[in-house]
Amino acid sequence: MPAVQTKTDLAFQQCVMPACGATYDVSEERTSCETCGSLLDIVYDWDRLPVPSSLKDFEAKWSRRNEPLERSGVWRFRELLPFAPDDQIVTIGEGQTPLHPSVGVADFIGMKPGRLLLQYEGMNPSGSFKDNGMTAAFTHARMIGAKRAACASTGNTSASLALYCGMSQLMQAVIFIGSGKISYGKLSQALDYGALTVQIAGDFDDAMHRVRQVSKRLGIYLVNSVNPFRLEGQKTIMLRVLESLNWEIPDWIVVPGGNLGNSSSFGKAFHELKKLGLIDRVPRLAIINAAGANTLNALYNERGVRWNGGAPDTKSIDSYYAELDAGALRADTIASAIEINRPVNLMKCLRALECCDGVVRDVTDQQILDAKARVAANGLGCEPASAASVAGAKLLREQGVIDPDERVVCILTGHQLKDPTATVAYHSSDQNEFNRVLGSRGVTTAAFANRAVQVENDLDAIVRTIQLNS
Ligand code: F0G
């Protein structure tokens, strides 16, 4: 039975489905509603909490950035995620991430200069946006006395968890990864930070299924984005975007979609800010799947599934998954971070799409790698999954959904060095290497490749080569 909600609670957990609405105390560790099995939100009694009167009030915190909680790009907004006492918060300086305008990427997409901005979450301590959520989930794990924390991962969640465990020495990290489904940059982080790394025969969807079973059986705290506290931390990515824009609302937020935690948390952030009267309108949300892992696109665009005020067509969703099973269809994309066919946050994401008048698209691996090369050539290296946002923005621009003078923010979710294999293969002059890594993904060209120039070990030859190529 759900815990009885007492009126004294300023923060509590609540089932996302309006027809259920069961509530649970924040002191409980839950990843689903006991009554109906749906996802949970963290909900606040805003009327009794000290909410700033204006978002501008947060700027004063910069003068106190020698204090760890004010330096954190997550916790300096803690009045908007007020579930943890200050003395329980675990921070490693996450969220120091910049918003960069990129003239070159704007040109690639077909936007006017200054209208395309890249939110570079690769600058986080573990190299991806995951640290925004991990600091929040990890804090909750500490609040309830957890000694071990687990996740299934395509690599970035596990790297982040392993880093928080290593840095704080408060918990042991147990991570589940699919075999051969994780890039070396990410695997090396988990191993180096000392996580117990369980590599199972299967893909992310299999690992996710198992980690839920195992964490339940062994009482290990689960930090995947089914954990509602994770998403509270990820809300702050949007707060930093707004802060960089002087609290102006962009027209579009474009984000890759994998397990759909980010998009869900962005929707929650804007819903709350609007409700609190801190913003007067919400941006539109564009969620971009990889074509080889496009469950959201298939459900949203082909089968017309909508949040529908909290009553989505679950039969369509179930029959889609049954078709995947019947055809033994597996996610398959070079963007390994979003190689996911059963996104655990689907319901919350549908709600976010409704809140933000959202659109969904999918992009091919070719489009992803070309976009990634343009992003990097303009100075912000990202991993393939991240470039899906830029490739998606380009597609929406070509389709006339995004206008050239709208203000568009693409989220670059992970650092370039996470997946050197894809990058080197794209730029390789060795056709065999190109085909080995990319051929099976339908990638046939590398229009933006920057190939290394081969030259014999001779001074004159080297000089001649440089003169010819510069
Ligand atoms: N981009 C990167 C770099 C990611 O690592 C992920 C997810 C996503 C995008 C998708 O974000 O799940 O919020 O839609 N990576 C997870 C992991 C699944 O295990 O590291 P989402």
Side-chain angles (χ1 to χ4, degrees):
M1 286 297 290
V4 177
Q5 180 56 49
T6 63
K7 253 318 205 184
T8 55
D9 291 344
L10 296 173
F12 53 93
Q13 308 187 60
Q14 183 165 40
C15 176
V16 294
M17 302 312 284
C20 173
T23 57
Y24 305 91
D25 202 85
V26 276
S27 62
E28 293 186 51
E29 188 210 339
R30 292 194 168 273
T31 49
S32 62
C33 174
E34 200 165 295
T35 307
C36 74
S38 300
L39 296 165
L40 298 173
D41 273 327
I42 307 303
V43 179
Y44 305 99
D45 186 351
W46 296 113
D47 291 340
R48 295 190 300 132
L49 282 159
V51 180
S53 55
S54 150
L55 287 171
K56 255 192 149 343
D57 293 357
F58 285 109
E59 290 171 14
K61 300 206 175 203
W62 281 110
S63 64
R64 302 208 303 275
R65 62 185 173 277
N66 54 337
E67 296 168 28
L69 295 190
E70 308 303 356
R71 188 166 58 245
S72 164
V74 171
W75 296 107
R76 68 191 160 85
F77 297 108
R78 61 194 178 284
E79 285 87 348
L80 296 174
L81 51 147
F83 68 85
D86 282 6
D87 64 359
Q88 292 294 303
I89 291 173
V90 184
T91 176
I92 59 167
E94 57 287 317
Q96 313 294 324
T97 58
L99 181 72
H100 284 290
S102 176
V103 174
V105 177
D107 183 54
F108 170 67
I109 291 180
M111 305 284 306
K112 292 198 176 138
R115 305 312 282 170
L116 188 276
L117 301 113
L118 301 170
Q119 175 66 18
Y120 193 32
E121 290 300 311
M123 282 282 282
N124 271 292
S126 79
S128 86
F129 77 92
K130 300 286 180 182
D131 297 343
N132 292 284
M134 197 55 66
T135 184
F138 205 80
T139 292
H140 181 247
R142 179 195 196 177
M143 281 166 64
I144 66 169
K147 292 283 168 271
R148 286 182 295 185
C151 67
S153 185
T154 55
N156 281 326
T157 306
S158 52
S160 182
L161 174 62
L163 174 53
Y164 276 83
C165 287
M167 183 83 99
S168 69
Q169 295 293 308
L170 287 168
M171 274 165 248
Q172 185 193 17
V174 184
I175 67 165
F176 283 55
I177 54 176
S179 54
K181 293 288 184 182
I182 177 171
S183 68
Y184 260 36
K186 302 174 192 179
L187 180 60
S188 63
Q189 287 180 287
L191 298 173
D192 226 18
Y193 293 137
L196 170 56
T197 305
V198 184
Q199 197 153 18
I200 67 163
D203 63 9
F204 173 82
D205 295 313
D206 298 316
M208 187 68 225
H209 178 63
R210 290 297 179 207
V211 79
R212 291 179 97 148
Q213 293 175 319
V214 171
S215 58
K216 201 166 179 184
R217 188 181 297 185
L218 297 178
I220 305 178
Y221 188 91
L222 188 63
V223 298
N224 277 102
S225 55
V226 283
N227 179 319
F229 295 93
R230 271 268 309 272
L231 302 197
E232 291 306 290
Q234 288 171 217
K235 290 191 308 193
T236 64
I237 301 172
M238 290 301 103
L239 292 165
R240 298 197 297 274
V241 165
L242 297 190
E243 183 181 49
S244 300
L245 294 174
N246 256 321
W247 309 110
E248 285 175 21
I249 311 296
D251 297 299
W252 288 92
I253 300 289
V254 190
V255 63
N259 240 350
L260 306 178
N262 252 345
S263 45
S264 299
S265 71
F266 298 172
K268 186 171 190 281
F270 288 120
H271 174 76
E272 289 173 348
L273 291 175
K274 182 98 196 303
K275 199 169 136 189
L276 291 170
L278 293 169
I279 57 174
D280 54 11
R281 69 179 181 95
V282 298
R284 295 191 70 187
L285 184 62
I287 306 176
I288 314 300
N289 275 163
N294 64 351
T295 293
L296 182 67
N297 187 57
L299 291 175
Y300 197 75
N301 290 326
E302 290 160 23
R303 304 189 184 204
V305 175
R306 294 291 182 278
W307 172 242
N308 195 22
D313 175 4
T314 49
K315 281 208 183 88
S316 279
I317 300 171
D318 291 344
S319 80
Y320 179 78
Y321 286 144
E323 284 169 36
L324 287 185
D325 287 341
L329 298 172
R330 291 291 179 172
D332 183 18
T333 167
I334 192 73
S336 58
I338 52 174
E339 194 175 52
I340 296 171
N341 259 350
R342 291 173 187 266
V344 295
N345 285 298
L346 179 62
M347 289 301 167
K348 286 184 178 176
C349 172
L350 292 172
R351 187 179 61 177
L353 284 162
E354 185 172 287
C355 167
C356 297
D357 188 16
V359 298
V360 179
R361 292 292 184 274
D362 63 5
V363 288
T364 63
D365 284 1
Q366 179 77 61
Q367 290 168 312
I368 286 174
L369 290 183
D370 288 340
K372 184 175 117 50
R374 289 326 292 156
V375 169
N378 286 281
L380 291 178
C382 68
E383 64 170 285
S386 312
S389 62
V390 173
K394 181 169 163 56
L395 180 64
L396 288 164
R397 180 58 215 101
E398 286 161 2
Q399 293 174 341
V401 179
I402 292 180
D403 286 340
D405 52 8
E406 285 188 298
R407 184 140 71 169
V408 177
V409 174
C410 292
I411 313 298
L412 297 183
T413 46
H415 199 279
Q416 177 189 43
L417 296 176
K418 291 279 188 174
D419 187 358
T421 311
T423 306
V424 172
Y426 184 86
H427 293 290
S428 177
S429 43
D430 175 351
Q431 194 62 36
N432 290 334
E433 177 63 6
F434 182 91
N435 290 340
R436 186 183 68 77
V437 180
L438 304 174
S440 65
R441 311 281 190 182
V443 180
T444 53
T445 60
F448 305 106
N450 175 32
R451 300 204 167 86
V453 185
Q454 309 296 326
V455 58
E456 61 197 278
N457 186 7
D458 172 85
L459 180 59
D460 288 339
I462 295 170
V463 167
R464 226 176 13 256
T465 303
I466 290 174
Q467 281 167 340
L468 267 174
N469 286 283
S470 55

